Amino acid sequence: MTADGDRVAIVGAGLAGCLLAVLLGRRGIPVTVYERRPDPRVAGAERGRSINLAISARGLAALEQVGLRERALRRALPMHGRMVHPKGGEPNFQPYSADRARAINSIGRAELNRFLLDTAEATPGVRLRFGERVTGVDAEAGAVLLEDAAPEPAGVVLAGDGAFSAVRRSLRLEHDDADFLEHAYKELTVPPRNGDFALDPDALHIWPRGTSMMIALPNLDRSFTCTLFWPRSDFAALRSPREITAYFAEHYPDVAGLMPGLVDDYERNPVGSLVTVRCEPWVRRGAGAAVALLGDAAHAIVPFFGQGANCAFEDCIEIDRCLDETGGDWARALTLYQERRKPNTDAIAEMALDNFVEMRDRVSSPVYRAKQAAQHALERRLAGRYVSRYELVSFSTMPYARIPARIRRQNLALGGAVLGAGAALGLALRAALRARR
């Protein structure tokens, strides 16, 4: 399309929008990126809106494509497992992998976004336009609609403008569902203590409390970003500094004293929503433009498997791959992109919701810990043949949609082997008894 002078527009200069701009720019495709915010490298990140990222195999594979893998890892902290803080008990460390060697990587969203913005800005053919609020797209006219300016022409519009996407709303899709959890989130901070980490920096810390939880991820400045995941009504229940400090002293006693700014953070930081977006189709073709959704605009998921950014990065890589396979035919490439990615994003959305229950309820259970130890023992004994769901999601690039079936097959095979061994043991015992007679 660029041979005919058609413009490619990307809406949203977040993680996915920037990565896609770099990939397209390197193909020689001129791209304009519209972002409603001021340049975050100048204005800074919004207070209480970071939700640290856990970049794992999928995200690292995508960053490798644009030469940012090692740079990101240098600015990230590896977390080799969960540190679970049960109420009334001692913290216990639960490694993510059977060999205890694999880790997910804590990195600030704002910092990774800066890397990607810098790379996009340095890519020939990519233009970044900040303070430009896109209100929708007119696929028939082939135009991006702007809040305070005339529509601008675009032959391809790729919308990465988040879970509450203006582009998605303007398309009036046949199916567009946003399922909100009754839970919401709020961020707090554990600062360094005597110049060092106040908690173990090699772990993602979890305080499971049944219907709610708090997590903490380490930062390079030796602080921790904590996130409360509570029923929305619970946030309003604490009305005074005294109530806030008393509640945390009771429910999070081992960390409450490490948060000198607790009351200020609690009172000033916003309460954020947790939403799963399911919509289709992601692709709309009009007389003037082809439009496609990606990242949270197409499939926002809750953050409990740490896969939101990883999944969005995979969208970008898939679009780039489909352009290769179709010889740059945007219509065919975007159709193929949707066919391949939709089943995968549906699968990770369900796994993320299930992992919320695991993190807030199951991880503190002795039964869960015994099951996890048994899984790791099987992974060591049956290397490559038995792999846990967590490892397949976080430490492989197996398509998400194939993971549930893989887990079912290996569990059936394991169950059959156990039954077979039991039957063989029974036959041997009966034979032994007959021989004794």
Side-chain angles (χ1 to χ4, degrees):
M1 300 189 88
T2 55
D4 298 326
D6 286 353
R7 297 177 62 245
V8 175
I10 293 177
V11 183
L15 301 176
C18 287
L19 177 63
L20 186 55
V22 174
L23 292 167
L24 297 182
R26 291 186 177 187
R27 300 178 71 89
I29 298 174
V31 178
T32 301
V33 182
Y34 298 88
E35 171 55 53
R36 64 178 178 81
R37 301 170 299 170
D39 187 338
R41 295 169 297 179
V42 177
E46 293 178 81
R47 179 183 174 119
R49 293 291 192 190
S50 66
I51 298 195
N52 281 42
L53 302 172
I55 294 294
S56 49
R58 299 167 197 274
L60 292 174
L63 292 171
E64 180 78 36
Q65 297 296 309
V66 295
L68 287 178
R69 183 181 188 275
E70 294 308 316
R71 183 178 177 185
L73 285 174
R74 285 195 298 270
R75 300 297 296 170
L77 288 166
M79 301 178 292
H80 287 86
R82 299 164 170 162
M83 185 69 76
V84 178
H85 300 251
K87 190 174 181 181
E90 290 298 314
N92 60 85
F93 182 77
Q94 300 176 7
Y96 284 132
S97 67
D99 60 7
R100 295 178 174 247
R102 294 179 176 179
I104 58 177
N105 301 282
S106 173
I107 186 169
R109 177 184 295 272
E111 182 153 31
L112 184 55
N113 204 171
R114 282 197 298 273
F115 294 169
L116 286 162
L117 283 166
D118 290 344
T119 306
E121 194 168 56
T123 302
V126 175
R127 284 198 307 153
L128 303 177
R129 290 175 50 179
F130 296 99
E132 298 273 11
R133 183 181 290 273
V134 172
T135 60
V137 62
D138 186 336
E140 294 305 313
V144 172
L145 308 179
L146 300 173
E147 185 174 62
D148 296 317
E152 297 197 351
V156 177
V157 181
L158 304 167
D161 53 339
F164 306 105
S165 168
V167 172
R168 188 181 74 243
R169 288 197 305 270
S170 75
L171 295 177
R172 301 184 182 277
L173 302 179
E174 287 85 344
H175 301 283
D176 188 356
D177 298 318
D179 296 331
F180 289 86
L181 286 186
E182 65 165 335
H183 291 70
Y185 73 88
K186 181 188 286 282
E187 290 190 350
L188 308 172
T189 301
V190 172
R193 188 180 190 188
N194 299 322
D196 205 352
F197 290 102
L199 302 166
D200 183 351
D202 191 37
L204 186 156
H205 293 257
I206 306 176
W207 289 261
R209 296 297 182 261
T211 60
S212 65
M213 69 174 180
M214 181 171 74
I215 68 171
L217 278 74
N219 300 307
L220 283 178
D221 67 359
R222 300 178 185 252
S223 69
F224 282 81
T225 298
C226 301
T227 309
L228 300 170
F229 296 102
W230 290 0
R232 186 175 287 273
S233 58
D234 287 4
F235 286 107
L238 303 181
R239 296 185 177 86
S240 70
R242 184 174 181 177
E243 288 177 337
I244 294 166
T245 54
Y247 185 91
F248 277 79
E250 177 183 356
H251 293 277
Y252 307 102
D254 61 339
V255 73
L258 303 176
M259 295 190 283
L262 168 63
V263 170
D264 185 57
D265 283 346
Y266 192 92
E267 291 183 334
R268 294 183 59 194
N269 287 353
V271 175
S273 297
L274 298 167
V275 63
T276 300
V277 170
R278 298 179 179 88
C279 67
E280 59 183 331
W282 294 357
V283 176
R284 176 68 57 79
R285 288 189 296 276
V291 185
L293 307 173
L294 67 141
D296 285 356
H299 51 74
I301 61 175
V302 292
F304 305 115
F305 226 127
Q307 289 296 301
N310 294 285
C311 183
F313 283 164
E314 282 194 323
D315 288 352
C316 302
I317 297 301
E318 192 62 58
I319 290 172
D320 191 50
R321 182 182 297 121
C322 290
L323 285 170
D324 266 341
E325 294 178 15
T326 61
D329 183 326
W330 276 103
R332 289 171 53 211
L334 293 178
T335 298
L336 189 59
Y337 150 73
Q338 177 180 269
E339 289 174 356
R340 290 178 176 174
R341 290 298 294 160
K342 184 69 165 68
N344 290 305
T345 59
D346 287 347
I348 190 57
E350 293 306 314
M351 288 188 280
L353 287 165
D354 181 65
N355 220 46
F356 182 32
V357 179
E358 178 169 307
M359 292 174 74
R360 78 183 195 211
D361 292 341
R362 301 174 192 153
V363 293
S364 57
S365 161
V367 173
Y368 173 86
R369 293 174 63 187
K371 178 182 174 183
Q372 187 187 50
Q375 280 187 335
H376 284 170
L378 285 168
E379 286 178 298
R380 289 190 293 269
R381 189 173 183 85
L382 304 172
R385 289 177 289 165
Y386 185 92
V387 187
S388 71
R389 183 179 73 166
Y390 192 91
E391 291 232 6
L392 291 171
V393 170
S394 298
F395 304 132
S396 86
T397 55
M398 175 181 285
Y400 294 121
R402 288 171 48 192
I403 292 174
R406 162 68 186 263
I407 297 298
R408 286 193 297 271
R409 285 197 304 272
Q410 68 184 23
N411 286 345
L412 284 171
L414 182 63
V418 170
L419 287 173
L425 178 61
L427 289 171
L429 288 171
R430 284 195 292 273
L433 289 171
R434 285 196 299 269
R436 291 178 64 184
R437 293 179 192 149

